[in-house]
Amino acid sequence: MAILDTRMECCPRGELEQLQLERLQPVLNRMYKNVAFYRSLFDERSIVPEDVCSMQDFRKLPFTTRSDLTANYPYGMFAVPLREVVRIHTATDTTDTPTVVGYSAHDLQTWAALVARFLSAGGVTRDDVIQVSFRYGLFSGAFGLHHGAEQIGASVIPASSEHTDRQIRIMQDYRTSVLVATPSFALLLADRMEALGIDPKLLMLKRGLFGGEIWSEDTRRQIEQRLFIQAFDNYGVSELMGPGIAGECSERSGMHICEDHILPEIIDPATGRTLAPGETGELVLTTLTREAFPLLRYRTGDLTSLNYAPCACGRTLVRMSRIERRTDDIVIVKGINIVPQQIEKILTDIEGIEPLYRVIVGRENNRDSVTLHVAVSEHVFFDEVKHHAAFVERLRSELSRRLGLRIEVKLMEKRTLDRELETGPRVLDTRNL
Ligand code: DLL
């Protein structure tokens, strides 16, 4: 039986907005009292949490950014003592200083309930066998989905990052009915099944809940046609908790945001001005119930719009549209967020390299690849073939080691790369997602 928390998910908007304001006060107080970073933000503006009595007051509060989190690495943003933190995850980005996110016991319960919500909205029930094909580890994705699925009572298979053949074998033998993964991994599985001559119609697979990276309606169609399933989109951000922020219902026309726990806003990324419903801008999120890691007006860097119209499913929770791009040049490859500044940092550590580079992301046979065009000094570029190859290899292994992702390297003359950068962006994503 699907779980629908009608009290919250179908709450009349007036009541919901009242609840949000009521929840805001204690969270602002907790930030002010327990997080030095927030206390000084408030003090600099001579604001105390009690001054925030309406949404208009709230919108005057400052934003929190990813760099604020890294500046307070590792525990500076925690609002409870470490002894009350029962889980620690980090964001998937490739920076040397990751964002460290703590969860209290209560935060974990909320997280599981919110994941259960969107799984349920996507039709998952206790009769399902659900294969979680996200990597278990510091990354929050797999754990969030795992506990949410358990809360529904589904049979959970923590397939993690097993290679495609093992994943397919698990699907066949354990009669998986729901796949949870990135959309690109679903396409890889479809390719592999085709290569192995496995007919997906003979599997028990009925639906897939996909998220963690940008994908399109076209990709949805491909996945559905090739795996014979219904595919649902869900959205999450590690800093906010991971998956569980929003997910599609049976209508599949936008992802319902769990507004009773997370307050969404859309702003103009250039000016910070709040935009009207329906306008596309940067999604900004505030946690309303997080104990260990509350965030105030966190800039996600994701471009979307909000639709407050009632949904045919009966939920009143606002729907966010599919994310089509980001405001920054972070690219997500195989669920890993690549921050170009980090590539730059690695390059500056290596002798013989100009601080000039270009990142090209491509997709061939549904496999994503990252190639780095790097400008090298003349003596490296015109060096003997064997030295040239050794240099490429050294660079490739250093980048792969520090980014946790395979990166191809192409050495270039400075003026050629200069020309490329004059006409094209630093990060070129050719995947047509
Ligand atoms: O990707 C959390 C997650 C795990 C969500 C599993 C869904 C399923 P991060 O690694 O911090 O967290 O990456 C967050 O991924 O800011 C978006 O740019 C992108 N993203 C996440 N979900 C979607 C989606 C997890 N459904 C970043 N569509 C976000 C488009 C998405 N982009």
Side-chain angles (χ1 to χ4, degrees):
M1 199 189 60
I3 304 170
L4 175 66
D5 179 358
T6 39
R7 198 171 60 87
M8 287 304 171
E9 293 185 73
C10 308
C11 183
R13 282 222 65 85
E15 280 177 39
L16 184 63
E17 283 162 19
Q18 183 58 33
L19 175 81
Q20 289 177 325
L21 258 184
E22 280 165 19
R23 288 188 165 176
L24 204 51
Q25 245 334 299
V27 91
L28 293 178
N29 268 314
R30 221 169 26 250
M31 287 173 185
Y32 187 73
K33 273 208 217 106
N34 302 342
V35 185
F37 166 79
Y38 283 124
R39 193 165 42 254
S40 45
L41 276 194
F42 278 63
D43 286 348
E44 279 161 20
R45 289 162 180 78
S46 308
I47 304 174
V48 286
E50 288 72 24
D51 293 338
V52 182
C53 302
S54 65
M55 284 314 286
Q56 282 89 319
D57 298 335
F58 173 72
R59 289 193 193 111
K60 290 185 199 132
L61 297 177
F63 297 112
T64 310
T65 62
R66 186 180 291 257
S67 50
D68 294 328
L69 306 189
T70 43
N72 287 285
Y73 174 85
Y75 296 146
M77 299 295 281
F78 284 18
V80 296
L82 210 47
R83 110 177 67 86
E84 285 175 37
V85 170
V86 296
R87 179 87 68 75
I88 290 169
H89 282 292
T90 61
T92 52
D93 60 44
T94 53
T95 46
D96 276 344
T97 311
T99 308
V100 182
V101 182
Y103 302 71
S104 69
H106 185 256
D107 292 336
L108 285 188
Q109 280 167 14
T110 309
W111 189 18
L114 298 190
V115 171
R117 226 189 237 187
F118 84 73
L119 291 176
S120 216
V124 179
T125 71
R126 62 191 305 261
D127 297 327
D128 278 305
V129 176
I130 177 165
Q131 185 163 332
V132 179
S133 302
F134 279 104
R135 186 192 296 274
Y136 283 67
L138 277 172
F139 173 45
S140 60
F143 282 92
L145 287 154
H146 183 107
H147 292 293
E150 274 187 355
Q151 191 164 104
I152 290 180
S155 315
V156 187
I157 308 172
S160 193
S161 49
E162 291 285 350
H163 59 74
T164 45
D165 289 11
R166 278 289 289 277
Q167 298 272 355
I168 294 169
R169 177 85 196 269
I170 291 170
M171 271 182 196
Q172 290 175 309
D173 293 355
Y174 305 167
R175 299 196 293 277
T176 302
S177 58
V178 177
L179 173 66
V180 174
T182 55
S184 56
F185 191 64
L187 284 176
L188 266 188
L189 289 176
D191 281 353
R192 190 63 190 148
M193 281 185 210
E194 211 169 279
L196 294 171
I198 293 169
D199 181 358
K201 276 199 225 114
L202 300 178
L203 300 174
M204 301 296 281
L205 209 56
K206 287 193 304 248
R207 57 188 81 237
L209 284 91
F210 303 115
E213 63 186 17
I214 293 176
W215 59 311
S216 62
E217 282 306 312
D218 184 50
T219 303
R220 187 194 318 250
R221 261 191 304 279
Q222 283 185 49
I223 294 175
E224 295 196 329
Q225 284 165 5
R226 298 187 62 200
L227 289 179
F228 295 94
I229 58 172
Q230 260 203 314
F232 295 80
D233 194 4
N234 72 84
Y235 171 83
V237 180
S238 315
E239 294 87 326
L240 268 291
M241 73 178 160
I245 293 175
E248 283 182 328
C249 62
S250 54
E251 298 299 314
R252 299 194 295 167
S253 61
M255 296 178 272
H256 289 285
I257 302 182
C258 296
E259 283 181 280
D260 45 337
H261 293 273
I262 287 158
L263 178 64
E265 299 171 82
I266 298 289
I267 61 157
D268 176 336
T271 62
R273 187 175 61 86
T274 306
L275 298 181
E279 286 190 273
T280 297
E282 182 176 353
L283 180 67
V284 169
L285 299 171
T286 298
T287 63
L288 293 173
T289 53
R290 263 324 263 287
E291 289 180 342
F293 200 77
L295 286 177
L296 174 64
R297 307 192 81 201
Y298 184 67
R299 295 187 63 156
T300 62
D302 292 316
L303 287 169
T304 184
S305 61
L306 298 181
N307 176 4
Y308 288 88
C311 180
C313 74
R315 288 177 182 79
T316 50
L317 299 176
V318 70
R319 282 171 286 164
M320 61 182 269
S321 64
R322 198 181 258 301
I323 307 275
E324 278 170 21
R325 59 196 174 84
R326 292 188 48 87
T327 55
D328 52 26
D329 48 12
I330 289 180
V331 271
I332 305 183
V333 178
K334 298 177 186 165
I336 297 177
N337 304 2
I338 303 179
V339 185
Q341 290 77 359
Q342 172 66 3
I343 293 184
E344 194 163 323
K345 197 153 165 251
I346 299 173
L347 294 181
T348 51
D349 290 348
I350 298 174
E351 206 196 310
I353 288 187
E354 308 273 342
L356 197 65
Y357 65 97
R358 192 167 189 220
V359 184
I360 319 280
V361 183
R363 176 171 285 179
E364 207 171 316
N365 298 327
N366 291 321
R367 222 170 259 282
D368 289 350
S369 63
V370 184
T371 307
L372 196 67
H373 291 183
V374 194
V376 282
S377 52
E378 278 189 12
H379 81 269
V380 174
F381 193 75
F382 293 109
D383 213 341
E384 284 173 49
V385 175
K386 76 170 193 280
H387 287 153
H388 190 109
F391 190 81
V392 167
E393 190 42 46
R394 185 160 76 88
L395 190 50
R396 189 164 59 188
S397 71
E398 184 65 7
L399 284 161
S400 302
R401 186 179 67 77
R402 289 180 56 183
L403 298 175
L405 192 78
R406 191 179 165 82
I407 306 262
E408 296 305 330
V409 172
K410 187 171 169 198
L411 303 186
M412 301 187 88
E413 267 188 289
K414 184 172 178 302
R415 57 198 159 96
T416 317
L417 192 52
D418 265 336
R419 260 202 311 275
E420 266 192 22
L421 285 165
E422 267 164 32
T423 51
R426 174 167 308 280
V427 178
L428 177 67
D429 194 339
T430 63
R431 287 178 294 183
N432 204 6
L433 293 170

